């Protein structure tokens, strides 16, 4: 092996430098550089094709192999796009339906899914639960156990309803050495392990779960397991394996709050789907979010609850982020946000009080804190409220997180409601993006949002006045258009506001 050399990597984004830097030039994060040993010869031998190990290795991948490409050693030739066969994406079924939806309707064959999340959030529980369902459908699952012993995995599986006589296709491979793993992932070995004959019909579909990618290591790179170099290399080889074999691969990656060992970030570009698994404010609610999906839409959200018997989808997930005390207390405003194909009613809560000590505090949970600072400034400048000397606390009820700009107006109204000690009347929804000049802008998919709100007893919505075009009415919900933040705030509190009454009559067909 060639002379070792050291490099510095940003643990957040994987950016590589020859020397240590305080701030990453790529992602601007501070104090994220870590020193790693790398073996330059291996990196050089990879060439432009990338990962060498899987390419060099005799291909023993079973299943629906579809390697394609030039034979080893031949120079690759450009091919007209018209001559390329378009592959129909075949999807393996996934249960529960919550998770299937986040994956875009099923698990695409040969795809690589990265499941990131903090330790203890329930990644292994989710994947073990999915695996149990798959093996009952006759799909074989190989669980690469890097973090836990087979006995621990068995205990978890038993908790989730594992029945030894029904699930022979659940295979555990307690191995962290990448080359050994690749050697074992072949049809004959797996068929022998699961006790089924090799020749008996077509081989079953197989899903590989690597729990976790941080524990794997390869001889091809000279770095510690869990280091950016190992994570990138092992992730790349397994991604390559998935594409050649047609076997979907799950890569579990831990993310910590401080961002160190942020392996998943290094892998995002080489996988097909990135799911992030989040808890909510220490409770039992867990959310799986697709942040990248080559085979579906992003922004989809699955809401589940961690119970004694595993993760269970939540009934009425659309109401998860309401406190259940609408319209009673000041400092709360409800909006309807889109997460992929789903609509959620979300209650934004604010507490505004005069700052007693020094610099006023701004504490924000579940909404981008810069956005809240911006909205507070707009409210101050355009809405005529004095927030400068106040502590501001903002959060989303139920531990939710909102990225939808349509929630801007709810933040603004919640702040105003807390400052003025006036509750927003029950049944009122506020919906709109707020611009720097204090204008209220429309939201996408308005009708779907209004239907969801009307379905849960909301009767009135303050929203953007759309010039020249009347929004389509939704039965049971009165639309109260507002052009400015000031007007919207006034209308949110006062059903009888003169502007509100006039506009509402105009807008309702
Ligand atoms: P785990 O899947 O091990 O987390 P991760 O793989 O993300 O590190 O799950 C961790 C927590 O979930 C653990 O504290 C126990 C809890 N749990 C339940 O509440 N119910 C269950 O059925 C299972 C299996 C785990
Ligand atoms: Mg785990």
């Amino acid at each position: 092996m060639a002379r070792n050399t050291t490099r510095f990597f940003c643990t957040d984004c994987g950016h590589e430098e020859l020397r240590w830097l305080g701030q990453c030039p790529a992602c601007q994060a501070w104090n994220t550089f870590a020193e790693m040993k790398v073996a330059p010869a291996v990196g050089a031998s990879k060439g432009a094709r990338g990962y060498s190990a899987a390419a060099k290795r005799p291909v023993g991948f079973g299943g629906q192999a579809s390697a394609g490409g030039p034979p080893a050693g031949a120079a690759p030739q450009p091919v007209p796009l018209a001559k390329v066969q378009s592959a129909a994406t075949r999807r393996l079924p996934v249960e529960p339906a919550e998770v299937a939806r986040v994956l875009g309707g099923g698990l695409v064959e040969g795809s690589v899914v990265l499941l990131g999340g903090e330790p203890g959030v329930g990644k292994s529980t989710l994947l073990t639960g999915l695996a149990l369902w798959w093996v009952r459908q006759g799909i074989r699952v190989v669980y690469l156990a890097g973090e836990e012993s087979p006995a621990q995995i068995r205990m978890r599986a038993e908790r989730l309803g594992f029945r030894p006589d029904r699930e022979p296709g659940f295979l555990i491979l307690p191995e962290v050495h990448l080359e050994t793993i690749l050697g074992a992932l072949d049809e004959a070995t797996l068929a022998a392990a699961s006790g089924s004959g090799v020749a008996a019909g077509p081989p079953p579909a197989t899903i590989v779960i690597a729990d976790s990618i941080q524990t794997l290591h390869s001889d091809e790179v000279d770095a510690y397991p869990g280091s950016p170099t190992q994570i990138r290399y092992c992730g790349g080889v397994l991604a390559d394996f998935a594409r050649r074999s047609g076997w979907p691969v799950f890569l579990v990656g831990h993310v910590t709050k401080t961002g160190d060992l942020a392996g998943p970030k290094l892998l995002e570009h080489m996988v097909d789907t990135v799911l992030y698994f989040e808890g909510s404010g220490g409770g039992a609610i867990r959310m799986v979010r697709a942040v990248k999906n080559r085979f579906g839409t992003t922004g989809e959200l699955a809401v589940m609850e961690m119970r004694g018997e595993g993760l269970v989808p939540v009934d009425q997930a659309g109401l998860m982020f309401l406190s259940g005390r609408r319209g009673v207390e000041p400092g709360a405003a409800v909006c309807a946000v889109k997460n992929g194909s789903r609509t959620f009613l979300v209650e934004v809560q604010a507490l505004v009080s005069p700052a007693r000590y020094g610099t006023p505090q701004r504490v924000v949970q579940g909404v981008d804190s810069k956005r809240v600072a911006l909205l507070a400034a707009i409210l101050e400048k355009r809405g005529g409220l004095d927030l400068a000397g106040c502590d501001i606390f903002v959060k989303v009820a139920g531990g939710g997180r909102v990225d939808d700009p349509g929630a801007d107006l709810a933040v603004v109204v919640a702040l105003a409601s807390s400052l003025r000690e006036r509750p927003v009347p029950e049944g009122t929804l506020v919906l709109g993006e707020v611009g720097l000049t204090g204008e209220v802008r429309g939201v996408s998919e308005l009708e779907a949002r209004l239907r969801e709100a009307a379905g849960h007893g909301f009767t009135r919505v303050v929203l953007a006045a759309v010039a020249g075009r009347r929004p389509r009415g939704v039965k049971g919900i009165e639309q109260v258009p507002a052009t400015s933040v000031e007007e919207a705030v006034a209308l949110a509190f006062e059903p009888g506001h003169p502007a509100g009454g006039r506009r509402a009559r105009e807008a309702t067909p």
Side-chain angles (χ1 to χ4, degrees):
M1 189 152 284
R3 180 177 56 96
N4 284 328
T5 180
T6 56
R7 291 282 156 77
F8 294 86
F9 288 94
C10 169
T11 50
D12 268 13
C13 71
H15 179 77
E16 188 179 325
E17 286 279 338
L18 288 173
R19 65 201 164 97
W20 188 86
L21 294 175
Q23 187 184 21
C24 173
C27 72
Q28 318 298 324
W30 286 95
N31 295 324
T32 52
F33 267 78
E35 184 176 356
M36 295 293 161
K37 280 202 295 179
V38 294
V42 171
S45 77
K46 275 190 235 158
R49 297 265 337 259
Y51 303 91
S52 57
K56 277 193 286 184
R57 186 182 161 263
V59 179
F61 314 146
Q64 316 76 357
S66 58
Q77 293 290 319
V79 186
L81 183 59
K83 293 237 170 91
V84 176
Q85 293 275 319
S86 75
T89 46
R90 282 215 322 204
R91 289 179 194 260
L92 298 174
V94 176
E95 179 71 34
E98 279 290 287
V99 181
R101 196 167 37 74
V102 173
L103 284 168
L107 185 59
V108 172
E109 279 184 348
S111 68
V112 188
V113 181
L114 173 67
L115 179 67
E118 286 174 24
V121 72
K123 299 179 294 298
S124 308
T125 306
L126 177 70
L127 290 175
T128 310
L130 293 175
L132 284 173
W133 187 83
W134 281 321
V135 293
R136 281 170 204 158
Q137 314 307 308
I139 297 169
R140 189 167 52 194
V141 175
V142 186
Y143 200 104
L144 306 179
E147 303 211 327
E148 291 165 302
S149 67
Q152 282 171 311
I153 292 169
R154 164 101 189 223
M155 265 165 61
R156 180 186 286 114
E158 278 171 0
R159 207 166 152 182
L160 304 180
F162 174 69
R163 296 246 311 272
D165 49 326
R166 281 176 58 194
E167 284 119 15
F170 199 141
L171 301 174
I172 307 282
L173 185 55
E175 180 57 59
V176 290
H177 181 238
L178 184 71
E179 285 74 26
T180 311
I181 290 170
L182 291 173
L185 287 180
D186 98 344
E187 180 52 40
T189 314
L190 298 185
S194 58
S196 61
V198 186
T206 303
I207 295 168
V208 179
I209 297 173
D211 189 2
S212 68
I213 186 70
Q214 270 106 343
T215 56
L216 302 188
H217 74 92
S218 162
D219 293 336
E220 296 280 318
V221 277
D222 185 13
Y224 296 111
S227 64
T229 327
Q230 284 286 8
I231 289 175
R232 264 205 287 214
Y233 186 78
C234 295
V237 170
L238 285 174
D240 198 39
F241 169 81
R243 281 167 202 138
R244 288 156 161 269
S245 64
W247 295 357
V249 172
F250 277 89
L251 304 175
V252 174
H254 292 293
V255 221
T256 62
K257 280 202 174 105
T258 52
D260 40 299
L261 259 192
K265 283 257 179 288
L266 303 174
L267 294 173
E268 279 182 1
H269 67 280
M270 59 175 88
V271 303
D272 300 304
T273 304
V274 179
L275 305 182
Y276 272 95
F277 200 2
E278 305 162 7
S280 75
I285 296 301
R286 300 283 183 274
M287 287 167 278
V288 184
R289 203 182 284 277
V291 295
K292 164 181 172 178
N293 196 350
R294 285 187 185 145
F295 306 110
T297 54
T298 54
E300 286 287 356
L301 183 67
V303 185
M304 286 172 289
E305 190 179 347
M306 180 67 92
R307 300 226 194 116
E309 71 276 17
L311 287 156
V312 187
V314 171
D315 296 337
Q316 300 240 321
L319 300 178
M320 277 312 305
F321 311 114
L322 289 185
S323 69
R325 293 192 309 162
R326 304 197 285 277
V328 188
E329 305 290 330
V334 180
C335 59
V337 301
K338 290 299 291 183
N339 275 108
S341 58
R342 286 276 273 298
T343 312
F344 291 82
L345 294 179
V346 171
E347 177 176 322
V348 179
Q349 302 177 332
L351 184 68
V352 180
S353 61
R356 297 205 179 212
Y357 319 96
T359 320
Q361 293 188 66
R362 302 278 190 265
V363 181
V364 179
Q365 255 177 34
V367 192
D368 179 28
S369 57
K370 290 204 181 100
R371 190 128 197 135
V372 172
L374 184 79
L375 292 169
I378 295 171
L379 192 57
E380 189 151 350
K381 185 103 176 162
R382 311 280 169 201
L385 296 189
D386 186 12
L387 294 163
C390 293
D391 288 335
I392 293 180
F393 305 92
V394 173
K395 73 178 289 245
V396 171
R401 192 160 68 83
V402 179
D403 301 319
D404 189 333
D408 284 359
L409 201 53
V411 175
V412 166
V413 170
L415 288 171
S417 164
S418 176
L419 185 76
R420 291 182 177 170
E421 290 285 336
R422 283 188 67 181
V424 176
E426 192 162 354
T428 296
L429 190 80
V430 289
L431 210 52
E433 186 180 340
V434 173
L436 278 185
T437 60
E439 84 275 19
V440 179
R441 301 221 196 118
V443 295
S444 61
E445 298 179 67
L446 177 65
E447 234 184 288
R449 299 183 200 232
L450 293 185
R451 252 185 277 117
E452 181 75 17
H456 293 293
F458 284 81
T459 52
R460 193 171 160 267
V461 56
V462 178
L463 38 55
V466 185
R469 188 164 58 89
R470 276 190 193 176
R472 283 264 294 281
V474 167
K475 208 164 166 250
I477 191 157
E478 174 197 17
Q479 298 185 17
V480 185
T483 44
S484 67
V485 165
E486 194 180 5
E487 200 182 355
V489 169
L491 291 168
F493 295 117
E494 291 169 47
H497 190 280
R502 176 170 50 79
R503 286 172 177 279
R505 273 194 302 280
E506 279 170 11
T508 322

